[in-house]
Amino acid sequence: MTPAPRRPFLQRLGDRAEPWLYSAPALIVIAAVMLVPLVVGISYAFRDVQILNPFSGGFVGLDHFRALAGDKAFRVALVNTFWWTVLTVLIQLLFGLVLALLLDTPFRGRGIAQALVFLPWAVPTFLTGLNWAWLFNPTIGPLPHWLHALGLLAEPSNILSDPNLALWGPITAAVWWGIPFFAITLLAALQSIPSDLYEAAAIDGANPFQRFWSITLPFLAPVIAITVLLRTVWVANFTDLIIVMTGGGPADRTQTVASYIFTQAFKRLDFGYASAISLVLLFLLLAYALLILLLRQRLIDRDK
Amino acid sequence: MRAIGTLAHRLAILAYIAFALFPLFWLVKVSVTPNDLLYSEGIRLWPSRTTFEHFRFVLAHSDFPLFFRNSLIVSLATAFVATALAGFAGYALSRFAFRGKLTVSGLLLVTQMFPLVMLVAPIFKLLSPLGLTNSLTGLVVVYVAFNVPFACFLMQSFFDGIPRDLEEAAMIDGASRFGAFRQIILPLTLPGIAATVGFVFTAAWSEMIFALMLISSNEKATFPVGLLSFVSKFSVDFGQMMAAGVLALIPACLFFLLIQRYLVQGLTAGAVKG
């Protein structure tokens, strides 16, 4: 038997290079616009980079991080980030799950109902923020008057200027905008559950709650887990609504770490300090990802 | 018992629809309310008189048509360039088994996870000597990069849905791989390409953070930049602000109708993309 003829070198090189030729344009753009700035940004964290100060640019070591350790606004932002993320994700999940269950039953006009309830997802986030800020504004919006009538507000005032309530403004807008995301993802998962499982359960005389508890929920659990974990990162980084609705105020009570980065870079033009905060945020997200991976490993080990 | 269950189900659906539409309804309502009724009939569900005066003013005497045009240029250019790049890369990810594929997918995934806001400062500093700040081209470059990873996953999932035999048969018949890709696979993926264009367009149309940072003049302002500066300057012209808001809503809603069928695929492909 003769060995298979080796193809010419150039042809083998061509075959090897082919997938890279297809992906090169995309990869080059990503490297130039995301990876290079990422590295440059990390270097800014150790330098004094202020756009308004032409003499800045020098190496300052860990000065930014020392300032950060004593920055009260930053500590407030850390706490706010936690509440903003946890409340937004959980409320979105709850309403999204109920909506997915409602849409999973066939009924007349389901297609239209689905398009209407998913519409908020298509509304640009800057408009979502402005729109809800107007709804919360007592001169033009109905919400303060309704909340007052329900006895939830002592007077029809704007919750966005109340330090204790302001964070609920962006959270409400984020929930309104984000319910479709959870509903769509969970609806897709619901529709992949084999229907004979439900039929068998119905024959065995299981009531709807038993069916939900022992068929639907176990099937959904992995999808819910993954969606929540990924969404948590996304919501933590999501700043549009906060910037539009409150700009982090009043008195930094709605400032999150991500919006604090934007405030430092955009309003103060202090790129060095902004990059130092970015590095802390990146580190926190990495720690979160690591924690998730460890948890996952523990669960897999336990199942063995 | 069953009838009550059905009734509760329909009522719950109606409640969701009302919650989803109410803010948009209010936006339209204020945009057609004449100024003299704005405060006296503040919380009435519909004003006793309506007017298109605000729309007329916004279209004829403001910069909003310019902002609209800028946003349209940026979003369309971003959508087409990003989809083209993602089409090629998505094809590579779908059809080739190559060393480094896992790294490429991983890289694309990571770009979806990290906080883009941390790139605001370095991107501004890097683009400024290139003359790409305060420029629509600069915005397109940035938006293309941000949207390519997600578009790649989306295109990959569309290519995965097309049987390999098709291009293999064409290649046996003597077509080159690129020829098979162009003549056989691309036409079959057209609906997927349209959906990807729609997704990227919607994302670019909504982008605000980098537009605020990179654009400094009125002539180059995209819609969010123009609207936000209008709001901070004329914060009592509610009718005009909301009429402008309705304008911003139109293209996003049109594209939503276009991609509605692909929502599930789009959201699961991006997994983390809003």
Side-chain angles (χ1 to χ4, degrees), chain A residues 80 158-167 249-254:
Chain A
N80 288 339
N158 193 340
I159 67 161
L160 296 177
S161 46
D162 180 337
N164 294 317
L165 295 173
L167 194 57
D252 288 324
R253 290 303 284 270
T254 59

Side-chain angles (χ1 to χ4, degrees), chain B residues 160-214:
Chain B
D160 282 344
I162 295 173
R164 279 159 183 269
D165 317 0
L166 285 174
E167 76 236 66
E168 274 161 17
M171 279 156 71
I172 288 168
D173 288 346
S176 68
R177 180 177 276 279
F178 186 74
F181 170 66
R182 199 167 56 89
Q183 288 171 343
I184 295 173
I185 304 302
L186 274 189
L188 288 173
T189 343
L190 271 183
I193 291 175
T196 310
V197 167
F199 272 102
V200 178
F201 179 92
T202 314
W205 186 266
S206 309
E207 207 290 329
M208 172 191 100
I209 304 275
F210 283 82
L212 281 176
M213 189 76 207
L214 293 175

Side-chain angles (χ1 to χ4, degrees), chain B residues 104-119:
Chain B
V104 172
S105 303
L107 174 78
L108 296 182
L109 201 64
V110 168
T111 60
Q112 298 285 286
M113 303 290 294
F114 83 69
L116 288 178
V117 67
M118 69 180 287
L119 299 182

Side-chain angles (χ1 to χ4, degrees), chain B residues 189-254:
Chain B
T189 343
L190 271 183
I193 291 175
T196 310
V197 167
F199 272 102
V200 178
F201 179 92
T202 314
W205 186 266
S206 309
E207 207 290 329
M208 172 191 100
I209 304 275
F210 283 82
L212 281 176
M213 189 76 207
L214 293 175
I215 301 293
S216 50
S217 79
N218 229 22
E219 294 83 70
K220 299 289 165 58
T222 55
F223 212 93
V225 178
L227 185 57
L228 289 175
S229 79
F230 185 88
V231 167
S232 59
K233 260 185 263 167
F234 309 98
S235 59
V236 289
D237 287 334
F238 286 107
Q240 286 165 31
M241 289 191 288
M242 298 210 188
V246 173
L247 290 186
L249 202 57
I250 294 170
C253 285
L254 286 181

Side-chain angles (χ1 to χ4, degrees), chain A residues 1 16-17 35 57 67 111 121 130 139 147 159 165 177 186 191-192 202 245 254 261 267 277 291-292:
Chain A
M1 217 171 111
R16 193 59 80 70
L35 299 184
W121 174 84
L130 282 174
T139 47
L147 291 172
I159 67 161
L165 295 173
W177 188 77
L186 296 177
Q191 287 173 347
S192 69
M245 293 178 78
T254 59
I261 295 172
K267 295 224 177 92
I277 309 169
L291 190 75
I292 300 303

Side-chain angles (χ1 to χ4, degrees), chain A residues 137-150 153 156-157, chain B residues 43:
Chain A
N137 182 338
T139 47
I140 201 81
L143 293 183
H145 305 280
W146 291 354
L147 291 172
H148 174 62
L150 287 172
L153 281 181
S157 57
Chain B
I43 62 166

Side-chain angles (χ1 to χ4, degrees), chain A residues 37-47 61-62 64-65 68 74 78 237 257-258 260-261 271-287, chain B residues 114-115 117-119 121-122:
Chain A
L38 179 67
V39 174
V40 171
I42 291 173
S43 82
Y44 286 175
F46 306 95
R47 286 167 53 195
L62 295 176
H64 289 315
F65 295 95
L68 210 49
F74 178 68
L78 276 176
N237 293 336
V257 176
Y260 197 44
I261 295 172
F271 287 7
Y273 199 53
S275 297
I277 309 169
S278 304
L279 209 56
V280 175
L281 178 60
L282 199 62
F283 180 76
L284 288 175
L285 291 174
L286 278 178
Chain B
F114 83 69
V117 67
M118 69 180 287
L119 299 182

Side-chain angles (χ1 to χ4, degrees), chain A residues 231-243:
Chain A
R231 209 56 189 168
T232 302
V233 175
W234 197 90
V235 170
N237 293 336
F238 181 46
T239 53
D240 294 20
L241 295 176
I242 291 172
I243 288 166

